[in-house]
């Protein structure tokens, strides 16, 4: 999320959103057609990258595209839609997989992605940049991604062995290093001063 949000600020929120929806849709289709668990996991992981691109830009696009007096209403509708989906998703997913199969979930994602892509291509007329003339913080991106991966993987397998415990603690050290690095970077991935 952090790197894609920053890339969207630098190069265009609409561009990153469209690439994200396209990738999410394509890899949903590949997940639905996966011939093996390895292909499914790989396609699903890349689908997650597309999802991160969507999540990191969608609210920014909504606030950029709406008038100031309408922003509260627009963000309220967005929050309602998100939490309705999160609440109904497991229930509807269960019904769909029970009556069809697990591949149908990915096919449905593909259909929703195509509709979203069509709407975005026809309705989003302009591009929004958050900043210009700044550089992308590649080192900060790599440090944050690797640290968060180590924390999540280490925490989820913490009780298995000492290597996983070490990963978890190295991830925490990495996050501390990320914070220190971002404080001293001219164009940070995340402006720590906001906190």
């Amino acid at each position: 999320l952090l790197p894609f949000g920053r890339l969207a600020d630098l190069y265009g929120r609409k561009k990153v959103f469209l690439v994200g929806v396209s990738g999410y849709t394509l890899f949903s289709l590949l997940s639905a057609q996966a011939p093996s668990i390895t292909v499914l996991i790989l396609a699903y992981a890349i689908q997650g990258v597309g999802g991160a691109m969507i999540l990191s830009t969608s609210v920014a696009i909504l606030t950029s595209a709406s008038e100031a007096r309408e922003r509260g209403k627009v963000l309220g509708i967005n929050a309602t839609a998100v939490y309705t989906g999160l609440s109904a998703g497991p229930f509807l997913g269960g019904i769909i997989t029970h009556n069809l199969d697990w591949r149908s979930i990915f096919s449905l994602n593909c259909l929703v992605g195509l509709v979203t892509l069509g709407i975005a291509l026809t309705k989003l007329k302009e591009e929004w940049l958050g900043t210009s003339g700044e550089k992308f913080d590649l080192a900060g991106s790599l440090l944050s991604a690797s640290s968060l991966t180590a924390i999540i993987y280490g925490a989820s397998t913490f009780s298995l062995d000492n290597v996983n415990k070490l990963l978890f603690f190295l991830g925490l050290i990495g996050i501390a290093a990320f914070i220190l690095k971002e404080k001293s970077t001219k164009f940070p991935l995340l402006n720590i001063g906001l906190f």
Side-chain angles (χ1 to χ4, degrees), residues 144-157 164-172:
S144 68
S146 60
S147 300
L148 289 172
T149 301
I151 289 171
I152 293 167
Y153 185 76
S156 65
T157 58
N164 297 322
K165 290 176 182 154
L166 179 63
L167 270 176
F168 176 77
F169 290 112
L170 285 174
L172 291 178

Side-chain angles (χ1 to χ4, degrees), residues 1 4 23-24 27 42-55:
L1 284 171
F4 289 126
Y24 185 88
F27 286 96
L42 182 61
Y44 195 51
I46 300 172
Q47 180 189 12
V49 172
M53 295 173 88
I54 295 167
L55 288 173

Side-chain angles (χ1 to χ4, degrees), residues 109-187:
N109 278 349
C110 187
L111 178 64
V112 171
L114 287 172
V115 169
T116 303
L117 194 58
I119 292 170
L121 286 170
T122 57
K123 299 294 183 185
L124 295 178
K125 301 296 184 191
E126 59 185 287
E127 180 60 273
W128 300 275
L129 296 174
T131 58
S132 61
E134 295 184 4
K135 293 182 180 177
F136 181 70
D137 182 13
L138 181 60
S141 296
L142 295 173
L143 187 56
S144 68
S146 60
S147 300
L148 289 172
T149 301
I151 289 171
I152 293 167
Y153 185 76
S156 65
T157 58
F158 196 79
S159 62
L160 295 181
D161 59 39
N162 289 334
V163 172
N164 297 322
K165 290 176 182 154
L166 179 63
L167 270 176
F168 176 77
F169 290 112
L170 285 174
L172 291 178
I173 292 167
I175 291 298
F178 170 74
I179 291 169
L180 292 174
K181 185 202 172 306
E182 294 303 287
K183 284 183 174 182
S184 64
T185 300
K186 185 175 182 182
F187 302 117

